[in-house]
Amino acid sequence: MDHQRSRLRLIDVAKEAGVSIATASRALSGAAGVSEDITQRVRAVAGKLGYVANVHARSLAGGASSSVGLLVHEIGDPYFAEIASGVLRLGAQQGLTVQICHTGRDPDNELTQIRALIANRVRAIIIAGSGFVDAGMQVAAKEELRAFEASGGRVTVIGRHHLGADAVLPDNVAGGRSVTEHLLALGHRRIAFAAGSLALTTVADRLSGAAEALGAAGLSIAELPVVDVAFTREGGKVATERILHEFPDVTAILALNDDMAIGALSVLRAQGIAVPEEISVAGFDDVAVAEDLSPSLTTVRLPMAELGERALSLALKPPSARPRRRATGHVLVARDSTGPPRC
Amino acid sequence: MDHQRSRLRLIDVAKEAGVSIATASRALSGAAGVSEDITQRVRAVAGKLGYVANVHARSLAGGASSSVGLLVHEIGDPYFAEIASGVLRLGAQQGLTVQICHTGRDPDNELTQIRALIANRVRAIIIAGSGFVDAGMQVAAKEELRAFEASGGRVTVIGRHHLGADAVLPDNVAGGRSVTEHLLALGHRRIAFAAGSLALTTVADRLSGAAEALGAAGLSIAELPVVDVAFTREGGKVATERILHEFPDVTAILALNDDMAIGALSVLRAQGIAVPEEISVAGFDDVAVAEDLSPSLTTVRLPMAELGERALSLALKPPSARPRRRATGHVLVARDSTGPPRC
DNA sequence: GTGAAAGCGCTAACAT
DNA sequence: ATGTTAGCGCTTTCAC
């Protein structure tokens, strides 16, 4: 490979501007100690020539890295796609390139991706996927990230992790409480939960919010069906079938993300069960399509793109002594998929 | 920034393995001319130490770049998210990092992103967004990409562009024909088209496939309403409202992507118009949610993730004298949103 | 304020 | 088969 040969180098700009390569470098990077005059001239020349610095040379020479890494479970999942969108938007604005990697919610794979990002000398790593309830799942990653931070890298996570990094926290507990209160207020008592894997902090937190709301109403989640399946549309379908079969008296299903809720609606429609007349369904996240489903989905809106932007903006700040935690809000969006119970 | 200092270098591995830095380099990169024995030893040491090469040093020194760039309109759009998923999957498998950029369908912005990717010395650039019917829109990008290729970079596009690069071609024309034939076979004659911007080759091609099918049935698209709006859900809503108002005798709406179709269904539901009894709706792409809509959406399935994988795999091949063109197929997925016309 | 020169960590000739 | 060394293009001391 010789992608770099024959392209414009800093020395070309320096010559054209009639200055040394050092001065040209300073002028372009906005370092102090260059006359305003020369700075302008160099920049004009660079612009005219269409010069763009070789990122690798810059980074190798000890300049600031201009790229950040984003780890998602799966970019095809709208939740992560929207987070990525926020990261990309702010990244472009800041002149950063964003490398995105899949983890597939597999800690081993996550570790591999983290290593690759570190080898790429990214300035920061943003971990968007849910944490694991069991801190042990990510000890290796934690160690690697610690070393990365020690050598000047930044790490931020979205969600509750045991990684000791700056975090942007989706309002999972309060959101779970809100949507459960909504169901309770409608009169539901026999509520079933279509939960993604309970090993994920996201699932655990949403469920714990639900438990709080139930507790406040004198109910106990321990007496209600919590079906632990995959955190996907397919999981939502499986959970719903199981709920219909094993707990026929249920009047509402709370899916712990919209994808699962979509799966639930799909099964209910296939079985000719009216929503919300016979069974109410609620989701979580408010992905774009939620409002256009039929019936439109009652759900908890999380500001996904904002989560991404805030995670990146945290990553761009210098580190603090203690990990920062940025809480975000949620909005309960009551639509047509929930209503009073049938009896 | 000093992310790199203090991390393991190649020389540390070489010392530990008792070989020269050159031998270590060769052993790790799998170059020929190293005894099997030493190769194993070096790799073992590297593994034990957790050594990962500095990508910037490697790339600067003229080694193969390990990253590729992917340009999408907007990663939050499921069509692009699925393409990205395919690219990421194959990329991870090949040990490549993938940088994703938004273009927002703005040629200027696209040019900026291309320059950034080139500055990052990516091995290849994949352009996933639709091309423009007017070749003039992208002359600057074309020039830049030409220079990139001349210096060893690879470029592939998804869709019909005027960029002279290797291309993976979604089956837009034939898909447009298939879905239109489906509507005609059901008995529809007054079909309206909710088209995204006609400046996009994707839209133009889908529409031209539709025109072919109409022509074969003795009809002319020139006499049918083609509403030219944004290629988005919102555009689908606007188009549908306009169609209902201005062309009340229409019996079917063909939206040129699923997002627009979702917008169309949403408006029809809001206005109490039964689908497909009063108006049939069809889309294009078959995004994941299409089958779970109500009614489930008749659409043209495009293998999006495969599009992404094939684009990357083309980009990884050496260039050919003439641009390659890889056709892909489509599948008409007839679901519940289309049926015979009301009268 | 500006220039000269020493690396950053690696690969690829070029020696041996 | 292995070692030595000259850069890759940039930033950053260190002189001036």
Side-chain angles (χ1 to χ4, degrees), chain B:
Chain B
M1 299 279 149
D2 60 338
H3 310 172
Q4 45 267 58
R5 272 164 273 290
S6 86
R7 293 208 104 244
L8 230 43
R9 288 158 312 158
L10 181 55
I11 195 165
D12 300 318
V13 175
K15 274 184 185 155
E16 180 80 12
V19 296
S20 78
I21 179 178
T23 299
S25 168
R26 287 189 273 251
L28 257 21
S29 68
V34 191
S35 67
E36 184 60 19
D37 208 35
I38 292 206
T39 299
Q40 293 310 324
R41 175 145 43 101
V42 172
R43 291 196 173 167
V45 169
K48 191 188 69 184
L49 265 39
Y51 169 78
V52 186
N54 181 325
V55 169
H56 294 129
R58 178 173 276 184
S59 174
L60 224 208
S65 160
S66 64
S67 74
V68 299
L70 172 64
L71 256 44
V72 299
H73 163 48
E74 157 67 54
I75 196 68
D77 178 331
Y79 173 79
F80 292 109
E82 297 222 12
I83 287 177
S85 179
V87 173
L88 253 41
R89 179 156 48 234
L90 180 56
Q93 188 187 306
Q94 304 279 359
L96 298 169
T97 58
V98 180
Q99 303 186 11
I100 302 186
C101 314
H102 278 168
T103 65
R105 289 215 179 90
D106 168 10
D108 284 348
N109 195 25
E110 183 177 73
L111 182 60
T112 304
Q113 303 299 340
I114 288 174
R115 291 218 170 106
L117 289 173
I118 294 177
N120 274 276
R121 297 306 187 269
V122 293
R123 174 193 296 202
I125 295 177
I126 298 172
I127 300 180
S130 172
F132 295 90
V133 172
D134 173 9
M137 299 290 280
Q138 290 176 294
V139 279
K142 182 168 184 173
E143 210 170 300
E144 201 81 24
L145 291 171
R146 202 82 7 292
F148 174 62
E149 288 182 317
S151 62
R154 297 277 294 121
V155 178
T156 64
V157 301
I158 296 176
R160 188 163 64 80
H161 284 249
H162 302 282
L163 261 20
D166 284 359
V168 177
L169 299 168
D171 212 7
N172 289 325
V173 176
R177 200 187 308 124
S178 293
V179 65
T180 306
E181 284 167 353
H182 165 76
L183 292 173
L184 290 168
L186 285 170
H188 293 278
R189 290 297 175 270
R190 300 296 308 165
I191 303 171
F193 298 86
S197 165
L198 297 176
L200 302 174
T201 57
T202 300
V203 172
D205 291 352
R206 293 176 180 184
L207 216 43
S208 98
E212 285 178 21
L214 291 167
L219 298 171
S220 166
I221 197 170
E223 292 161 12
L224 261 21
V226 175
V227 186
D228 182 9
V229 290
F231 207 22
T232 61
R233 184 166 315 188
E234 191 51 37
K237 292 183 180 176
V238 171
T240 303
E241 277 160 2
R242 201 178 302 169
I243 290 165
L244 291 176
H245 186 252
E246 299 175 18
F247 310 97
D249 60 340
V250 154
T251 62
I253 295 176
L254 173 53
L256 262 28
N257 73 13
D258 284 352
D259 219 25
M260 296 190 82
I262 291 171
L265 288 176
S266 171
V267 167
L268 293 170
R269 176 157 18 92
Q271 307 216 358
I273 299 174
V275 177
E277 293 76 9
E278 297 182 72
I279 290 193
S280 286
V281 174
F284 210 115
D285 288 345
D286 197 24
V287 298
V289 79
E291 68 170 320
D292 294 310
L293 294 169
S294 172
S296 58
L297 185 65
T298 292
T299 185
V300 174
R301 176 177 303 163
L302 253 31
M304 274 105 68
E306 186 191 329
L307 253 31
E309 288 195 16
R310 296 188 68 176
L312 177 54
S313 92
L314 258 187
L316 263 22
K317 289 194 207 309
S320 58
R322 313 230 115 266
R324 299 180 181 87
R325 332 189 93 239
R326 293 274 181 277
T328 58
H330 76 274
V331 178
L332 175 70
V333 186
R335 298 203 182 95
D336 303 335
S337 66
T338 50
R342 55 182 177 273
C343 40

